[in-house]
Amino acid sequence: MWYERLKSRILWFSEKKTGSAGFSLKSANFLKSSLFKAFTFFFAVGLGLSWLIPQPAISQPKPKDVELTLVSFAVTKSAYDRIIPGFVAKWKRENNQNVKFSQSYGGSGSQTRAVIDGLEADVVHLALAFDTDRIQQAGLIKAGWEREVPNNGIVSKSVVALVARSGNPKKIQGWADLAKPGIKVITANPKTSGVARWNFLALWGSVTRNGGNEQAARSFVTQVYKNVPVLPKDAREASDVFYKQNQGDVLINYENEILLAKQKGETEPFIIPQVNISIDNPVAVVDKNAAKHGTTKVAEAFVKYLYTPEAQQEFAKVGFRPVNSTVAGQFSSQFARVGKLFTISDMGGWKGAQSKFFADGAIFDQIENGLGRR
């Protein structure tokens, strides 16, 4: 380095002059001291000026890409086709990290069993809280999952709707018409489909929440299922049976699925019964899987993103009733008012409803056995 060379020259010069004639030791020491002071001064100046020289930028390493596995019930796919790109762009912008999604859609009950049996979902969005609770009981989701996000974990809503054929030749006006002889009703199977359980509870509640007793409800629901020729596995398959295979006189389905079908050109009339159930769909991080995959942070961010106005608007555009009040106001003209809207709590909660209606040997199985289909 230059200062080492300067130092050595100073020492050489002082030693040489000390031994020279007429050059005193005192003078030599003075010269040495002066030269060292000069050396120190120029070294300090050089060091200071070095900060003015542009330094090469130290680039931060780019985070590795991360992959999330989303498992959801069948009819949410159209919403997620719009929501996921928005989240991916937001996360990239804010964290300089690419997020890739692996997605699985199907009947809520079937999806729940798949996750419990080893489908390593990071996030689940299911048709009913009972299915999320089953995954919790399997040790994959922490207790209290519904308190981790807004609205007790409910991220999308709908109600039950009835779709008639063009011109409504069977004059379907409400629940009571579904029990009439000669009416063919299409609804999914409550054993595999979340929407089918909501449909069943809506049928039952159309009696009990409107002044009727349990015996009257059972008789009515039995007659409706007597008119059901086939039980598709989920809401999407039920729609295909009705629209594409042209089976049935009336389809019981999610309102959102029917509104989406209208966007795609379907023109069949539909009815929103005035005694109806609020279909509440929960979302949760599958904590054990996310921890295993190292995706907890991004999975939690994705779930929270689903409650933002941007995501809620996309749910609304494909027919879901928003849980965000501002977005709900923006889309209020899209959704019919319901006179008597009851909830799963009014039916004893999911634990009670599952035990009473859908467990092996419970009321649904009893009805099916009585019809010779079990």
Side-chain angles (χ1 to χ4, degrees):
M1 300 292 292
W2 65 270
Y3 53 85
E4 292 290 343
R5 292 197 298 270
L6 176 60
K7 179 180 176 182
S8 65
R9 294 297 294 171
I10 291 170
L11 291 173
W12 174 84
F13 183 77
S14 62
E15 289 170 356
K16 183 175 182 180
K17 289 300 183 181
T18 300
S20 301
F23 195 84
S24 68
L25 181 61
K26 181 177 179 181
S27 298
N29 288 336
F30 174 77
L31 176 61
K32 185 186 297 185
S33 173
S34 298
L35 288 172
F36 268 113
K37 287 178 181 179
F39 156 74
T40 303
F41 171 76
F42 285 113
F43 175 74
V45 170
L47 187 63
L49 291 175
S50 70
W51 291 99
L52 300 178
I53 300 172
Q55 301 297 313
I58 301 175
S59 60
Q60 296 296 326
K62 182 180 176 182
K64 293 181 179 179
D65 293 354
V66 62
E67 181 171 333
L68 283 186
T69 297
L70 169 66
V71 173
S72 190
F73 61 111
V75 297
T76 62
K77 185 178 185 303
S78 296
Y80 280 117
D81 285 345
R82 305 178 184 215
I83 290 170
I84 286 174
F87 174 76
V88 168
K90 182 177 186 292
W91 187 262
K92 174 70 172 180
R93 186 169 61 249
E94 295 177 356
N95 299 277
N96 192 32
Q97 185 179 38
N98 295 319
V99 182
K100 300 176 181 178
F101 276 81
S102 174
Q103 301 167 62
S104 174
Y105 299 96
S108 189
S110 300
Q111 294 290 74
T112 299
R113 284 192 295 275
V115 172
I116 292 171
D117 290 343
L119 176 56
E120 293 191 356
D122 298 292
V123 175
V124 288
H125 181 185
L126 299 169
L128 44 121
F130 175 76
D131 287 341
T132 313
D133 286 339
R134 288 171 60 198
I135 299 174
Q136 176 197 317
Q137 291 161 12
L140 299 175
I141 295 177
K142 294 178 182 177
W145 58 268
E146 65 274 20
R147 297 190 294 273
E148 296 297 319
V149 289
N151 203 43
N152 288 320
I154 303 304
V155 74
S156 59
K157 288 177 175 283
S158 194
V159 294
V160 179
L162 310 178
V163 188
R165 289 296 177 190
S166 181
N168 197 4
K170 299 289 186 175
K171 308 300 181 187
I172 305 296
Q173 300 298 322
W175 294 119
D177 297 314
L178 306 187
K180 292 178 178 178
I183 300 293
K184 292 183 179 180
V185 179
I186 302 299
T187 184
N189 189 339
K191 289 292 190 178
T192 57
S193 168
V195 67
R197 296 186 193 191
W198 289 114
N199 292 350
F200 186 100
L201 294 174
L203 287 163
W204 192 274
S206 71
V207 177
T208 60
R209 303 303 298 177
N210 204 33
N213 59 28
E214 295 269 308
Q215 184 178 353
R218 181 166 185 150
S219 176
F220 169 71
V221 173
T222 299
Q223 186 57 48
V224 172
Y225 275 88
K226 186 177 180 181
N227 289 342
V228 174
V230 61
L231 288 168
K233 66 181 180 180
D234 58 41
R236 179 54 48 80
E237 189 173 293
S239 293
D240 288 345
V241 167
F242 184 77
Y243 291 115
K244 296 181 180 179
Q245 299 177 26
N246 204 35
Q247 293 189 50
D249 301 305
V250 59
L251 168 69
I252 313 178
N253 212 340
Y254 287 124
E255 175 193 46
N256 59 275
E257 184 75 345
I258 293 160
L259 292 176
L260 181 62
K262 284 181 67 67
Q263 292 178 21
K264 296 180 178 179
E266 300 293 349
T267 58
E268 283 84 352
F270 68 96
I271 301 97
I272 304 297
Q274 284 302 291
V275 180
N276 217 313
I277 192 166
S278 178
I279 297 173
D280 300 337
N281 316 130
V283 67
V285 174
V286 186
D287 300 290
K288 186 173 182 179
N289 291 341
K292 175 183 176 181
H293 303 154
T295 58
T296 299
K297 181 179 179 181
V298 67
E300 290 177 346
F302 177 64
V303 167
K304 290 178 181 178
Y305 178 77
L306 298 180
Y307 291 90
T308 64
E310 294 82 3
Q312 286 290 302
Q313 287 169 2
E314 298 302 340
F315 278 122
K317 288 175 184 176
V318 296
F320 287 96
R321 296 190 175 214
V323 299
N324 179 291
S325 58
T326 300
V327 178
Q330 294 171 354
F331 287 84
S332 60
S333 62
Q334 178 175 305
F335 303 105
R337 288 194 62 188
V338 176
K340 292 183 180 180
L341 187 67
F342 60 97
T343 69
I344 186 61
S345 296
D346 297 318
M347 306 292 285
W350 272 114
K351 185 175 181 180
Q354 172 66 21
S355 176
K356 179 177 180 178
F357 298 110
F358 307 119
D360 290 344
I363 289 176
F364 175 73
D365 279 354
Q366 294 167 22
I367 290 173
E368 287 292 286
N369 286 334
L371 296 174
R373 290 197 294 223
R374 283 279 188 273

